[in-house]
Amino acid sequence: MNGSPLLAAFRRDVLQAWRRRADWLTTFFFFVIVVSLFPLGVGPEPEMLKTMAPGILWVAALLAAMLSLPRVYGTDYADGTLEQLVLAPQPLAMLVLAKTVAHWLLSGLPLALMAPVLGLQFGLEGEPLTVLFWSLLLGTPCLSFIGGVGAALTLGVRGGGVLVALLVLPLYIPVLIFGAGAVQAVATGTGAGGHLSLLGACLCIAAALSPWATSAALRVSLE
Amino acid sequence: MLQVRDLACMRGDALLFRKLEFDVEAGEVLWIEGSNGSGKTSLLRILSGLSPPEQGEVRWRGTALASARDALQADLLYLGHLNALKDDLSVAENLQFHSAIAGYDADAADIDNAIAAVGLTSRRDLPVRVLSQGQRRRAALARLWLASSRTLWILDEPFAALDVDSVDRLAALLADHVSAGRMAILTTHQEVALPAGRTRRLRLDAA
């Protein structure tokens, strides 16, 4: 098997997203706006904002990731492309992997890149800011992998958008704990190494297992 | 090559068909007829391995489908009633994607030929969004010209929404396909000139 079918699946998702930029920009601006609302709501005390920043940024990232999930397989399901993916001679899990990487590139990576800028708003600086970026860079692909399973399970279900949140948000808890924890750990001076390693471990497990779970869920959804 | 034994299909609580048995051999077209809701699409989905049957089994080249899925998928072209086209991509981009995913090994010239064969050359670079219903169907059918090496074609209503010329071209392609020793299973409500002597009819009626 050569890599070209995977590349084709990846390229098509990116090309399609490029043609429908508005869809993906809404996710991004949702993240920016939710994060920016907090200082307005809780007041401008620098110390409090600094403490809350990692949690706020991470929760907003989870919600933004959530928002983009129904699109990953939803359109393919509705227009019949999913049938063709399932019937393709390539292993479905590999195509799922390609689509997940495309999803992360479009929805997760922009959040990780934007987070340090938003962190500045909360008075984060120096090492916590760097760690925030790394934690999101490691964490957002986990969100795409885990979320993919939920998105595949809720295909064709009425009100799938809410259901996917109920299914997937609890599974995001470890990512949230290690991700926000990493930034807090640096701020309190204990070092972020442990948290980031655990986040990396989450990513390895999610990347290894979720494509299989997702492809099984997709087959079930199509029956 | 394709054998169906004692097949039953339920949709919700309704029994669509049971004790269905037939064989399809190389060089044959199987035309599945039946009224709306008689289970034609469900049968095609079972044959292609998308849905499991309620009962009975399908064998491909002598092996039960449960363990022959990979072998079947390498031989199969399935055209569902959905076109599997992306609205925002052009006709050519959609076909390139399908060709790469399904492993047809088509180069740019093959794709242009397929687009010409369905008469969409002038629409080649337009997004599918702006095409009419019939043109979309033709764009989806262009895959057949790319997939001529696939042994088994399963086509759900391939003639729907097509104009007279396109119907003739598709019927001619089907005739070439089966005369080369391959096979096709299709549903249609239209009276189409399918390859004489090579076409068998199967009637599904509500059980």
Side-chain angles (χ1 to χ4, degrees):
Chain A
M1 190 187 74
N2 60 27
S4 75
L6 309 191
L7 208 61
F10 172 80
R11 269 196 45 207
R12 194 213 50 173
D13 276 20
V14 173
L15 189 63
Q16 158 131 325
W18 176 249
R19 302 257 164 93
R20 299 191 71 112
R21 282 175 291 258
D23 281 359
W24 296 98
L25 287 175
T26 45
T27 311
F28 177 73
F29 284 112
F30 175 83
F31 176 66
V32 173
I33 289 171
V34 167
V35 170
S36 310
L37 285 179
F38 273 89
L40 301 175
V42 300
E45 274 174 58
E47 273 317 302
M48 184 168 63
L49 287 180
K50 216 182 234 180
T51 334
M52 289 174 62
I56 292 171
L57 279 154
W58 259 97
V59 170
L62 298 193
L63 296 178
M66 209 73 263
L67 205 61
S68 62
L69 281 179
R71 268 196 300 275
V72 189
Y73 301 105
T75 52
D76 283 353
Y77 178 75
D79 67 20
T81 308
L82 197 59
E83 291 173 351
Q84 300 300 329
L85 293 178
V86 167
L87 291 175
Q90 343 293 334
L92 182 57
M94 294 296 115
L95 297 174
V96 165
L97 183 68
K99 282 180 71 72
T100 310
V101 173
H103 175 257
W104 172 72
L105 202 69
L106 295 160
S107 68
L109 184 61
L111 304 190
L113 294 175
M114 190 62 195
V117 181
L118 295 171
L120 284 175
Q121 277 188 350
F122 288 83
L124 288 181
E125 51 195 1
E127 212 191 338
L129 214 52
T130 327
V131 170
L132 175 70
F133 169 71
W134 285 112
S135 72
L136 278 165
L137 198 66
L138 281 172
T140 45
C142 296
L143 304 183
S144 294
F145 277 117
I146 298 169
V149 184
L153 277 172
T154 52
L155 273 182
V157 178
R158 231 178 310 157
V162 182
L163 199 57
V164 82
L166 292 180
L167 268 177
V168 165
L169 282 176
L171 297 174
Y172 281 172
I173 291 173
V175 185
L176 173 67
I177 292 175
F178 299 134
V183 188
Q184 273 149 1
V186 185
T188 55
T190 48
H195 286 94
L196 288 180
S197 315
L198 284 167
L199 211 50
C202 284
L203 176 56
C204 292
I205 295 172
L209 299 182
S210 85
W212 305 101
T214 306
S215 51
L218 289 176
R219 283 185 203 282
V220 172
S221 297
L222 275 181
E223 285 176 7
Chain B
M1 302 243 291
L2 183 81
Q3 295 161 319
V4 169
R5 293 290 172 265
D6 190 25
L7 204 66
C9 171
M10 302 272 287
R11 202 82 189 136
D13 284 336
L15 180 70
L16 293 178
F17 51 78
R18 56 194 277 269
K19 295 209 185 300
L20 191 65
E21 306 214 344
F22 60 83
D23 291 355
V24 188
E25 294 302 330
E28 275 186 337
V29 176
L30 181 70
W31 178 359
I32 301 171
E33 295 173 293
S35 49
N36 298 137
S38 57
K40 300 187 295 294
T41 295
S42 302
L43 175 58
L44 294 187
R45 291 175 67 87
I46 291 171
L47 296 181
S48 63
L50 280 172
S51 333
E54 188 68 26
Q55 193 193 322
E57 71 170 5
V58 179
R59 285 190 214 151
W60 175 246
R61 297 183 193 271
T63 319
L65 202 53
S67 39
R69 180 177 262 178
D70 289 347
L72 175 68
Q73 289 183 353
D75 287 332
L76 172 72
L77 174 129
Y78 173 80
L79 183 94
H81 67 106
L82 294 169
N83 288 329
L85 298 171
K86 287 287 168 200
D87 279 352
D88 295 296
L89 303 189
S90 71
V91 175
E93 284 165 345
N94 268 298
L95 288 175
Q96 277 157 6
F97 167 73
H98 279 296
S99 149
I101 290 297
Y104 298 147
D105 273 337
D107 55 25
D110 294 333
I111 287 176
D112 285 345
N113 288 339
I115 293 175
V118 293
L120 287 176
T121 305
S122 60
R123 308 283 190 278
R124 181 184 182 280
D125 295 314
L126 289 183
V128 169
R129 186 167 10 100
V130 304
L131 301 187
S132 74
Q133 205 58 39
Q135 286 173 328
R136 285 175 202 213
R137 196 59 180 160
R138 272 148 63 188
L141 285 167
R143 279 169 42 217
L144 300 185
W145 273 266
L146 297 174
S148 48
S149 62
R150 294 294 166 104
T151 316
L152 175 63
W153 285 359
I154 295 184
L155 315 174
D156 196 351
E157 294 286 348
F159 298 103
L162 293 186
D163 54 32
V164 179
D165 283 351
S166 307
V167 168
D168 291 344
R169 273 188 293 217
L170 181 54
L173 182 73
L174 268 171
D176 287 349
H177 183 68
V178 291
S179 60
R182 305 193 181 99
M183 46 190 156
I185 301 175
L186 57 88
T187 64
T188 177
H189 290 291
Q190 284 156 272
E191 280 298 325
V192 180
L194 291 173
R198 293 175 176 277
T199 304
R200 280 198 301 135
R201 294 181 174 214
L202 174 74
R203 185 138 196 106
L204 285 184
D205 275 310

